[in-house]
């Protein structure tokens, strides 16, 4: 990412809304600080100002390096709306080095690599061959990223499933298709693939085919509309390790770096 694109990303983020939940606010604030540091707007060192032992204000290093923080972060949050300083320390976003000197932690700095939160992921699969894999992928996306996955077992009873699935795919930023032998013979999976491909360039949708259970494209060469256009993730053998490795690769393609995922799992 170029320097200008880093600054642009910071400015775009500063026009976002401040979340209401306490934990969400801490995470949002730490991410803002990480992205500003990545853009070169301020340093990682924080100097606090205390009144009777209580932190009442703080700044980034020298006055000159604090200008970007004031014009960006304080403009978004407001000086009296900031998360509690001690709370930021208690969850590991700030690290204390002396009485009045702190730095942004590694946990905070890794947030600069965190993808946007609003990535809707649709998981397409055939139930009799890929249900367990779909549930594994769904679970790991939910717990290890800030993306929002959807599999069709999430449909509420009585939903018009055909229209609902088409709507979910139309609103997705990523379409993952789990392909085992026989999957592409399913007219339902074929329909979901057609919907995903229909406007994927316009929506800039990420398409990820995932082969497992020894599937090869030649098995359904006339039906496989996505593996010929998009590189497939492959489960190399039927083992837990191979499935976990394939899921890791899917998460990387969704934009989550290995370093970010390792930090998230701690």
């Amino acid at each position: 990412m170029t320097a200008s694109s880093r600054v642009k990303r910071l400015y775009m983020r500063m026009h976002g809304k401040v979340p209401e939940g306490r934990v969400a606010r801490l995470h949002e604030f730490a991410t803002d600080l990480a992205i500003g540091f990545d853009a070169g707007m301020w340093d990682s060192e924080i100097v606090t100002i205390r009144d009777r032992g209580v932190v009442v204000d703080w700044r980034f290093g020298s006055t000159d390096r604090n200008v970007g923080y004031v014009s960006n972060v304080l403009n978004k949050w407001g000086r009296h709306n900031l998360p509690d300083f001690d709370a930021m320390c208690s969850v590991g976003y700030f690290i204390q080095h002396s009485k009045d000197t702190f730095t942004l932690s590694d946990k905070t700095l890794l947030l600069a690599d965190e993808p946007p939160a609003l990535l809707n992921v649709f998981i397409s699969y055939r139930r009799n061959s890929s249900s367990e894999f779909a549930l594994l992928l769904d679970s790991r996306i939910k717990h290890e990223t800030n993306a929002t996955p959807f599999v069709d077992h999430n449909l509420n009873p009585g939903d018009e499933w055909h229209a609902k699935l088409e709507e979910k795919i139309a609103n997705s930023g990523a379409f993952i298709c789990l392909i085992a032998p026989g999957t592409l013979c399913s007219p339902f999976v074929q329909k979901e693939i057609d919907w995903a491909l229909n406007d994927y360039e316009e929506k800039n949708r990420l398409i990820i085919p995932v082969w497992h259970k020894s599937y090869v494209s030649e098995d359904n060469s006339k039906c496989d509309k996505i593996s010929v256009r998009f590189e497939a993730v492959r489960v190399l053998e039927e083992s837990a390790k191979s499935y976990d490795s394939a899921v890791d690769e899917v998460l990387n393609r969704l934009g989550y770096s290995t370093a970010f995922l390792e930090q998230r799992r701690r």
Side-chain angles (χ1 to χ4, degrees):
M1 187 180 294
T2 65
S4 60
S5 61
R6 289 188 177 97
V7 173
K8 182 178 179 181
R9 180 172 63 144
L10 174 66
Y11 287 156
M12 290 178 63
R13 186 171 181 84
M14 291 308 135
H15 287 86
K17 294 183 178 179
V18 174
E20 295 183 4
R22 187 167 185 263
V23 173
R25 285 167 56 82
L26 295 175
H27 181 83
E28 176 81 3
F29 189 64
T31 304
D32 286 348
L33 298 183
I35 290 176
F37 172 81
D38 189 53
M41 299 297 288
W42 47 78
D43 299 319
S44 63
E45 183 181 83
I46 299 169
V47 178
T48 60
I49 299 171
R50 297 175 181 268
D51 181 16
R52 300 178 183 178
V54 178
V55 175
V56 294
D57 199 3
W58 54 277
R59 57 183 172 81
F60 278 99
S62 66
T63 302
D64 290 343
R65 300 298 288 164
N66 201 47
V67 173
Y69 166 73
V70 172
S71 62
N72 288 282
V73 177
L74 289 188
N75 186 56
K76 172 181 176 178
W77 287 80
R79 186 173 293 278
H80 301 294
N81 194 36
L82 299 177
D84 181 72
F85 189 90
D86 290 334
M88 294 292 291
C89 295
S90 68
V91 297
Y93 289 130
F94 297 161
I95 300 297
Q96 186 169 14
H97 293 280
S98 67
K99 178 182 177 182
D100 294 314
T101 304
F102 299 74
T103 59
L104 302 180
S105 67
D106 289 343
K107 176 181 178 179
T108 298
L109 298 180
L110 282 171
L111 294 175
D113 295 327
E114 183 173 294
L118 299 177
L119 177 62
N120 295 321
V121 179
F122 187 96
I123 302 173
S124 175
Y125 67 104
R126 193 180 188 187
R127 291 192 178 187
N128 63 4
S129 57
S130 303
S131 288
E132 292 181 355
F133 191 12
L135 292 175
L136 169 65
L137 187 57
D138 176 46
S139 176
R140 288 197 53 188
I141 291 175
K142 284 179 179 176
H143 291 95
E144 297 180 25
T145 78
N146 51 7
T148 304
F150 176 86
V151 292
D152 62 10
H153 71 264
N154 292 336
L155 285 177
N156 296 320
D159 280 341
E160 293 291 339
W161 66 270
H162 188 278
K164 192 72 172 180
L165 291 176
E166 185 175 8
E167 177 188 352
K168 288 290 184 181
I169 292 173
N171 292 327
S172 68
F175 177 84
I176 302 171
C177 187
L178 307 183
I179 307 175
T183 296
L184 299 178
C185 296
S186 166
F188 303 110
V189 173
Q190 283 292 321
K191 180 59 71 175
E192 291 174 353
I193 291 172
D194 288 340
W195 287 331
L197 293 176
N198 182 49
D199 60 353
Y200 88 95
E201 290 184 338
E202 175 187 344
K203 298 288 185 66
N204 197 28
R205 180 176 296 120
L206 182 64
I207 307 289
I208 308 175
V210 184
W211 298 358
H212 72 119
K213 293 188 175 178
S214 301
Y215 173 84
V216 292
S217 184
E218 289 76 10
D219 292 343
N220 292 279
S221 58
K222 294 182 180 179
C223 299
D224 194 341
K225 303 174 183 178
I226 57 176
S227 295
V228 295
R229 302 172 65 179
F230 309 96
E231 183 181 359
V233 173
R234 307 186 188 195
V235 177
L236 300 178
E237 61 182 32
E238 292 301 302
S239 67
K241 182 178 181 180
S242 188
Y243 273 91
D244 280 338
S245 295
V247 174
D248 286 342
E249 185 175 346
V250 170
L251 298 181
N252 289 159
R253 291 201 191 180
L254 291 176
Y256 296 89
S257 69
T258 300
F260 169 79
L261 293 172
E262 289 176 350
Q263 177 65 42
R264 190 86 165 199
R265 292 165 189 161
R266 292 172 187 167

